[in-house]
């Protein structure tokens, strides 16, 4: 338990240090907000919907680094649908719900410096879990990585963007239940 607390403290400290360091070296502050939806692509068909805020700093015309935080609602699915021959009843997937709160660092590379610019970005961080039911309290989240491909559309005073991402989330629910999701996000960079 103490190792778990120490790991959280270390990650939060690194998160804050990264934010302070970026502001020293960056050319310009570029905050962004986005909303997204993700769906599980492995045995765990978890569905997630939420939003994020990123404090980004432009290093040069094509590279941005930043730190972010988000909140998402998630349906946690544990079982496939099945028929119980003893009770002669059909059961759907068992679901619990919870809130995800990710803290992360982000790196983004635009492939061009034009008004329509494709990009690659990656989030790396730690997800905290807030259970919304008793059964979900046993769910423990941890490190995650989320690479994404997208396109920025310059609108003059900011950029609208659309991206497709892959999210790999570590999770423990009585045993290791790590899972993967494919998602889509839209947002605005100020």
């Amino acid at each position: 338990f103490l190792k778990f607390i120490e790991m959280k403290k270390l990650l939060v400290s690194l998160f804050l240090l990264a934010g302070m360091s970026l502001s020293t070296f960056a050319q310009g502050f570029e905050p962004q907000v986005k909303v997204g939806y993700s769906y599980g692509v492995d045995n765990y068909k978890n569905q997630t919907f939420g939003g994020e805020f990123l404090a980004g700093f432009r290093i040069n015309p094509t590279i941005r680094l930043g730190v972010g935080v988000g909140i998402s609602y998630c349906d946690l699915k544990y079982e496939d649908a099945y028929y119980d021959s003893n009770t002669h009843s059909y059961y759907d997937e068992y679901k619990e719900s919870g809130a995800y709160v990710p803290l992360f660092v982000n790196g983004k590379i635009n492939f061009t410096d034009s008004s329509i610019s494709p990009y690659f970005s990656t989030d790396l961080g730690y997800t905290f879990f807030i259970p919304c039911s008793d059964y979900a309290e046993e769910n423990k989240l941890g490190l995650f990585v989320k690479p994404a491909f997208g396109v920025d559309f310059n609108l003059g005073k900011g950029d609208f963007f659309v991206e497709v991402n892959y999210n790999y989330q570590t999770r423990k629910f009585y045993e290791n239940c790590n899972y993967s999701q494919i998602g889509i996000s839209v947002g605005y960079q100020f």
Side-chain angles (χ1 to χ4, degrees):
F1 178 74
L2 290 176
K3 285 184 181 180
F4 179 70
I5 296 298
E6 289 174 14
M7 182 181 215
K8 282 186 180 179
K9 286 181 183 178
L10 176 65
L11 286 170
V12 170
S13 297
L14 288 173
F15 178 79
L16 293 173
L17 183 62
M20 290 184 292
S21 298
L22 289 174
S23 65
T24 304
F25 298 108
Q27 291 179 354
F29 178 60
E30 293 183 351
Q32 78 175 29
V33 293
K34 71 177 172 181
V35 295
Y37 170 80
S38 298
Y39 187 77
V41 293
D42 50 18
N43 292 334
Y44 304 102
K45 302 298 185 204
N46 298 340
Q47 297 180 62
T48 307
F49 178 78
E52 294 176 353
F53 172 78
L54 178 78
F57 300 93
R58 184 63 56 183
I59 303 302
N60 66 39
T62 59
I63 297 176
R64 187 199 67 210
L65 300 175
V67 292
V69 64
I71 187 153
S72 298
Y73 171 80
C74 183
D75 278 331
L76 306 163
K77 298 184 179 185
Y78 299 111
E79 300 175 359
D80 290 331
Y82 68 96
Y83 178 79
D84 186 335
S85 59
N86 294 328
T87 62
H88 302 289
S89 299
Y90 179 80
Y91 294 94
D92 202 355
E93 297 171 324
Y94 186 80
K95 298 181 199 175
E96 292 290 333
S97 59
Y100 286 19
V101 180
L103 289 176
F104 57 93
V105 293
N106 171 271
K108 177 179 176 182
I109 298 173
N110 286 84
F111 299 126
T112 67
D113 189 15
S114 61
S115 61
I116 298 177
S117 177
Y119 66 83
F120 172 77
S121 76
T122 299
D123 295 345
L124 176 64
Y126 190 90
T127 304
F128 297 91
F129 182 71
I130 302 169
C132 295
S133 61
D134 293 338
Y135 188 62
E137 287 178 358
E138 300 302 321
N139 200 47
K140 306 288 185 238
L141 299 178
L143 297 174
F144 77 93
V145 62
K146 184 167 59 171
F149 285 100
V151 178
D152 285 332
F153 300 93
N154 187 294
L155 303 176
K157 293 189 177 189
D159 294 336
F160 171 77
F161 63 89
V162 178
E163 69 180 28
V164 174
N165 58 62
Y166 168 80
N167 181 29
Y168 180 79
Q169 176 69 59
T170 60
R171 180 175 77 149
K172 187 169 181 109
F173 184 73
Y174 297 109
E175 61 183 36
N176 288 333
C177 299
N178 303 339
Y179 66 88
S180 301
Q181 293 177 305
I182 297 292
I184 185 164
S185 299
V186 295
Y188 186 79
Q189 180 175 291
F190 297 93

